[in-house]
Amino acid sequence: VFFVIAAGISTLIFYSGSNTVSTRNVNIAIAGPTEIDAGNTLSLQLVITNRNTVPMELADLVIEFPAGTRSDGNLTEELLRTRESLGTIAPGESINRTVRAVLFGQEGEVAEVHAVVEYRVPSSNAIFLAEGEYTTKINSAPASLTVATLKETISGQQTSFTITVTANTPDELKDLFLLAEYPPGFTFTSATPAPSFGTNGWALGDIPSAASRKVTIFGAFAGEDGDTRVTHFSVGTRKKNSVNEIAIPLSSTEISIAITKPFVSVALALGGVVASEHA
């Protein structure tokens, strides 16, 4: 009778799944704003709930942030990953945690935050992983980038770009870098101020809130009538241990310039023949 009852209880437990340890029984709920302005502090509320019948031992919470994220306490410190020890989470227990970070990115970009809970269970050396995802949309860029130039130019004639970078955040933007990508056929002449790197990189330094920096580039385009040349400009925080790379663009824009015929042209013909050489 004892063994029959024991077999019945074991069968019931086995098929009911109450003895199963599964990552699906660990819930990670992440609450935060659906939209945020770049450069503002993102505050996330995380609730980790253990619905297994055994405790979660040596639990760690790992948060992975998108590129360009900065520490809430120090904007110069890049924050890509954090790890926090949660200890032991008993069956049915929930643990609350608050995570803060400063997100940067371009307007309209979707930022993704990935949360992972690593844990062990009694009488096992295996490491289990439970995952959670959170996304938010960046409303406005922390820096605005405007370019003033002509819409048309003549091949070989000097033209100019005036780039204005303005800080839109309540706090000072640190170590900004302006990068220009010239199209084929563009010849760089000079710039005010002079480039910090090569002919297309400017270290703008720190820009206070609502302040601006201006860079004027002089050069000439070569091409045929009807050609279009596209120049790309981007501004962002400089990549660590690099002098000419942007870690994450805060703002970018493209300027198209059409190459047209001169307003007045002169042709020289000898005997009615237009040629560069005559015999």
Side-chain angles (χ1 to χ4, degrees):
V1 172
F2 169 77
F3 285 110
V4 169
I5 295 175
I9 294 175
S10 299
T11 303
L12 178 64
I13 292 176
F14 182 82
Y15 285 104
S16 65
S18 58
N19 68 326
T20 302
V21 177
S22 174
T23 57
R24 290 178 296 180
N25 294 330
V26 178
N27 183 53
I28 303 176
I30 307 176
T34 58
E35 297 180 349
I36 189 172
D37 292 335
N40 290 349
T41 300
L42 172 68
S43 181
L44 297 178
Q45 302 294 325
L46 291 91
V47 180
I48 300 97
T49 304
N50 179 15
R51 293 196 174 94
N52 284 307
T53 57
V54 296
M56 298 166 56
E57 298 179 342
L58 303 174
D60 281 356
L61 174 62
V62 180
I63 306 293
E64 296 179 354
F65 297 97
T69 302
R70 301 287 172 171
S71 172
D72 179 42
N74 183 8
L75 290 180
T76 62
E77 179 184 348
E78 191 173 21
L79 184 65
L80 298 180
R81 182 184 176 96
T82 63
R83 178 181 288 269
E84 180 184 358
S85 176
L86 303 178
T88 300
I89 306 176
E93 182 183 3
S94 294
I95 290 183
N96 296 273
R97 289 293 185 269
T98 300
V99 178
R100 292 183 175 87
V102 180
L103 295 183
F104 286 97
Q106 299 188 59
E107 185 175 349
E109 182 180 342
V110 176
E112 297 182 356
V113 178
H114 186 62
V116 178
V117 175
E118 301 176 357
Y119 65 96
R120 299 174 184 267
V121 296
S123 303
S124 174
N125 292 327
I127 298 178
F128 295 87
L129 302 177
E131 300 178 318
E133 297 285 346
Y134 165 82
T135 59
T136 186
K137 183 180 179 181
I138 296 179
N139 276 335
S140 63
S144 61
L145 182 64
T146 58
V147 181
T149 187
L150 299 175
K151 294 183 179 181
E152 297 179 345
T153 187
I154 300 170
S155 178
Q157 180 176 303
Q158 181 168 279
T159 187
S160 65
F161 301 92
T162 300
I163 304 100
T164 303
V165 179
T166 305
N168 298 328
T169 58
D171 299 321
E172 186 178 60
L173 291 177
K174 300 287 187 179
D175 194 24
L176 289 189
F177 190 73
L178 174 66
L179 188 65
E181 298 177 20
Y182 306 124
F186 179 80
T187 302
F188 174 85
T189 304
S190 63
T192 305
S196 308
F197 179 84
T199 60
N200 67 333
W202 288 263
L204 303 178
D206 302 338
I207 303 181
S209 176
S212 300
R213 297 282 189 273
K214 285 189 177 183
V215 173
T216 303
I217 304 172
F218 299 94
F221 291 93
E224 301 294 332
D225 180 34
D227 288 351
T228 300
R229 297 289 185 262
V230 178
T231 307
H232 182 81
F233 299 95
S234 57
V235 64
T237 54
R238 186 146 41 174
K239 193 173 184 180
K240 192 175 182 180
N241 301 325
S242 176
V243 295
N244 65 332
E245 291 185 79
I246 293 177
I248 182 71
L250 301 182
S251 184
S252 63
T253 188
E254 289 184 345
I255 300 298
S256 297
I257 295 182
I259 297 178
T260 62
K261 291 180 179 180
F263 300 110
V264 177
S265 61
V266 176
L268 179 61
L270 180 59
V273 178
V274 178
S276 58
E277 295 182 0
H278 292 273

